[in-house]
Amino acid sequence: MAGGSFGPTGVAKERAEQYQGKVTSYVIIACLVAAIGGSIFGYDIGISGGVTSMDEFLDQFFHTVYEKKKQAHESNYCKYDNQGLAAFTSSLYLAGLVSTLAASPITRNYGRRASIVCGGVSFFIGAALNAGAVNLAMLLAGRILLGVGIGFGNQAVPLYLSEVAPTHLRGGLNMMFQLATTLGIFTANMVNYGTQQLKPWGWRLSLGLAAFPAFLMTLGGYFLPETPNSLVERGLTERGRRVLEKLRGTKNVDAELQDMVDASELANSIKHPFRNILQKQHRPQLVMAICMPMFQILTGINSVLFYAPVLFQTMGFGGNASLYSSALTGAVLVLSTLISISLVDKLGRRALLISGGVQMIICQAIVSVILGVKFGDNQELSKGYSIVVVIFICLFVVAFGWSWGPLGWTIPSEIFPLETRSAGQSITVAVNLLFTFFIAQAFLSLLCAFKFGIFLFFAGWVSVMTIFVYFLLPETKGVPIEEMTLLWKKHWFWKKVLPATNHEAESNNNSSI
């Protein structure tokens, strides 16, 4: 495989053993600053559920839900079922879906930093609008701008991290994005826990504080170095070399730079990356770009994190207890992501995804059984069973945090060749936000319709995705990002799907003579 030409995709040679360099403070700082982009995504996930359970917020913007919440005879599973309330949460993700597609040409033509700055500015303005909202229209306008910020940030930040990180630590450093996301969720939960005491304006502070990570993201995007891959792709090869030398801490970067040059020559010959990504030679990457983010959302994690306070109140926890319980799940998510960062480049991606999937299935099944047997309309869980439910939800979050949480972003960001990398990341983010939108919009209705079966619904999907990983996802640990296309040619299934290369076709012709 090593010397074969890959025609119109990827680089031609394996040079991984020639890569040199070390982990420098420069690369660590760059990754930490860039990963702040994940915190805005996480903060919003965490803040939305808490705010939508605050009585003052509901009374001002969703009075029908507020009245329904106060009615004791209302079904436990249905008291928050309102499409307007769901739209408050989900409108952001629809806006993000559209904006991430617009971000792709900006990321490709102007660099990863440009999209990071655009995302930060938009999110900052959206947070200000939300904090000062006086009617539903103003509230939704702010949410849409937050969505634009997330669309740009989620498109550019994982790419930035994958391109800056050295090959042997790419998994762990790329997960800085997910770590920042989980820290954002935890921070939001703690903010909600404090602001619920500040009546009647505590919800404004919760929403307005989103401006702080947005400011840091904008500032970081302005001062960060551009990735060497992006500089080389835009014809700034010498500047790209200087940045690469700083990142790797050595002058001997010829092999890695040559891979970038080869990839950029091919990338610049592709004028329509979205059209090119549909070609057969990119089929494995396209399938992963669609399935990985789709499966990440269908674990049910966003439902737990979006609506954790609502979910715990539905189960009979008091207002304070529900926010405290959701803060606990946020803290657990942070800790489990740290576990993943330490293990991903040792155990590999597949082991974490499969083990995490099995644990999530078990936890969801147990929670569903407890709720089905011990919890129904107009009754609350006993204290003992409530604690058991929280424990197994936390174990579910732990499993997600070391598997599908970070790897749902890491794998798609590292598998595409340079010519389709920006387009591929846009598809990944768009699919993630599309399914986030569907689940956010439908979850309260699904909870009302399925009741305890909602956890079995998600457990079924986790079973499907675990089987998918076992059979169709090759191990990407330790494979250089510009040589990733070679991996698919060695996989038992994808090598049958990919078209024959010129080298292989010639070999076949020679063997038949």
Side-chain angles (χ1 to χ4, degrees):
M1 231 41 103
S5 169
F6 264 73
T9 182
V11 296
K13 297 179 180 178
E14 292 179 293
R15 301 188 181 93
E17 68 281 356
Q18 300 174 37
Y19 283 20
Q20 294 192 22
K22 58 187 178 182
V23 181
T24 61
S25 58
Y26 194 68
V27 77
I28 295 294
I29 291 169
C31 287
L32 285 173
V33 174
I36 291 171
S39 67
I40 67 170
F41 188 37
Y43 187 84
D44 185 82
I45 289 173
I47 217 70
S48 298
V51 166
T52 52
S53 71
M54 293 182 186
D55 288 347
E56 295 77 23
F57 176 81
L58 292 175
D59 189 28
Q60 179 161 349
F61 296 104
F62 303 99
H63 190 71
T64 304
V65 180
Y66 177 71
E67 291 298 326
K68 190 187 290 187
K69 180 182 176 183
K70 296 301 181 185
Q71 293 173 8
H73 67 274
E74 186 68 41
S75 165
N76 272 323
Y77 288 105
C78 299
K79 59 188 176 184
Y80 288 97
D81 183 18
N82 178 275
Q83 287 303 299
L85 182 60
F88 164 75
T89 298
S90 60
S91 58
L92 178 149
Y93 302 100
L94 194 60
L97 188 160
V98 175
S99 66
T100 193
L101 298 175
S104 177
I106 293 175
T107 303
R108 188 182 189 202
N109 297 324
Y110 299 99
R112 286 46 167 156
R113 292 171 60 227
S115 284
I116 292 173
V117 170
C118 287
V121 170
S122 178
F123 201 90
F124 185 90
I125 297 171
L129 277 176
N130 273 178
V134 295
N135 54 46
L136 187 58
M138 190 172 174
L139 193 69
L140 291 178
R143 294 292 290 173
I144 289 169
L145 281 172
L146 293 177
V148 172
I150 282 176
F152 272 82
N154 285 15
Q155 204 276 343
V157 171
L159 278 189
Y160 186 96
L161 295 172
S162 282
E163 292 180 344
V164 164
T167 296
H168 66 290
L169 290 176
R170 188 179 60 244
L173 290 176
N174 191 289
M175 284 182 183
M176 293 293 185
F177 177 78
Q178 177 66 11
L179 179 62
T181 300
T182 60
L183 286 169
I185 293 169
F186 176 68
T187 302
N189 287 330
M190 298 310 295
V191 167
N192 280 336
Y193 187 66
T195 58
Q196 66 171 333
Q197 313 295 336
L198 304 175
K199 303 177 187 291
W201 52 271
W203 63 269
R204 293 188 184 277
L205 183 60
S206 287
L207 295 176
L209 284 174
F212 180 67
F215 173 74
L216 292 180
M217 176 177 167
T218 306
L219 201 64
Y222 182 78
F223 288 107
L224 282 174
E226 186 55 85
T227 72
N229 309 64
S230 178
L231 290 169
V232 171
E233 184 181 15
R234 290 182 284 140
L236 305 171
T237 305
E238 281 308 308
R239 189 174 159 195
R241 171 186 279 276
R242 289 195 297 273
V243 171
L244 187 60
E245 288 173 353
K246 282 187 178 180
L247 290 171
R248 301 294 177 256
T250 178
K251 295 286 186 181
N252 193 0
V253 294
D254 292 341
E256 190 171 0
L257 184 68
Q258 190 57 49
D259 271 351
M260 292 178 190
V261 171
D262 291 350
S264 70
E265 288 174 356
L266 182 56
N268 290 326
S269 71
I270 304 297
K271 302 303 179 187
H272 304 287
F274 279 103
R275 192 183 305 166
N276 183 261
I277 207 171
L278 298 176
Q279 294 178 5
K280 197 171 183 179
Q281 68 262 29
H282 297 301
R283 193 62 44 82
Q285 295 98 319
L286 181 61
V287 169
M288 294 301 159
I290 294 171
C291 289
M292 293 299 290
M294 177 185 75
F295 286 149
Q296 185 192 53
I297 302 306
L298 289 174
T299 58
I301 187 66
N302 279 13
S303 301
V304 172
L305 297 178
F306 281 151
Y307 297 111
V310 171
L311 198 60
F312 286 126
Q313 280 192 11
T314 293
M315 292 173 187
F317 289 70
N320 288 356
S322 69
L323 282 169
Y324 185 77
S325 299
S326 60
L328 176 62
T329 58
V332 166
L333 188 57
V334 173
L335 294 175
S336 61
T337 305
L338 290 172
I339 293 172
S340 187
I341 289 173
S342 66
L343 295 178
V344 66
D345 290 311
K346 296 176 183 175
L347 300 182
R349 282 64 161 158
R350 283 169 50 86
L352 295 181
L353 287 169
I354 293 169
S355 62
V358 171
Q359 182 168 321
M360 283 191 284
I361 294 166
I362 294 170
C363 292
Q364 287 170 318
I366 290 173
V367 169
S368 183
V369 168
I370 291 174
L371 295 183
V373 173
K374 296 294 182 180
F375 181 66
D377 291 351
N378 303 316
Q379 70 182 80
E380 295 186 358
L381 283 175
S382 67
K383 184 177 179 180
Y385 281 111
S386 295
I387 292 171
V388 173
V389 166
V390 171
I391 288 172
F392 277 99
I393 285 179
C394 285
L395 289 174
F396 164 79
V397 171
V398 166
F400 176 85
W402 84 52
S403 60
W404 282 93
L407 292 172
W409 291 108
T410 297
I411 291 171
S413 72
E414 68 183 3
I415 60 175
F416 280 94
L418 187 60
E419 69 266 24
T420 56
R421 191 170 298 153
S422 181
Q425 185 65 15
S426 284
I427 291 172
T428 297
V429 177
V431 171
N432 181 284
L433 294 176
L434 178 65
F435 277 86
T436 301
F437 170 77
F438 285 154
I439 294 298
Q441 190 67 28
F443 176 70
L444 295 176
S445 296
L446 288 173
L447 181 64
C448 183
F450 287 178
K451 298 180 170 58
F452 63 88
I454 189 72
F455 289 96
L456 293 179
F457 170 77
F458 289 122
W461 279 109
V462 178
S463 302
V464 171
M465 64 187 74
T466 304
I467 294 168
F468 173 88
V469 168
Y470 183 81
F471 287 106
L472 296 179
L473 180 66
E475 181 55 67
T476 59
K477 179 187 72 172
V479 181
I481 193 169
E482 299 302 355
E483 296 182 4
M484 198 66 71
T485 49
L486 297 164
L487 192 66
W488 309 101
K489 280 290 186 180
K490 301 172 183 177
H491 188 267
W492 72 272
F493 176 78
W494 294 117
K495 67 182 180 182
K496 301 173 186 176
V497 173
L498 292 169
T501 64
N502 295 336
H503 178 74
E504 289 169 341
E506 289 172 7
S507 298
N508 291 336
N509 290 335
N510 291 336
S511 63
S512 63
I513 295 175

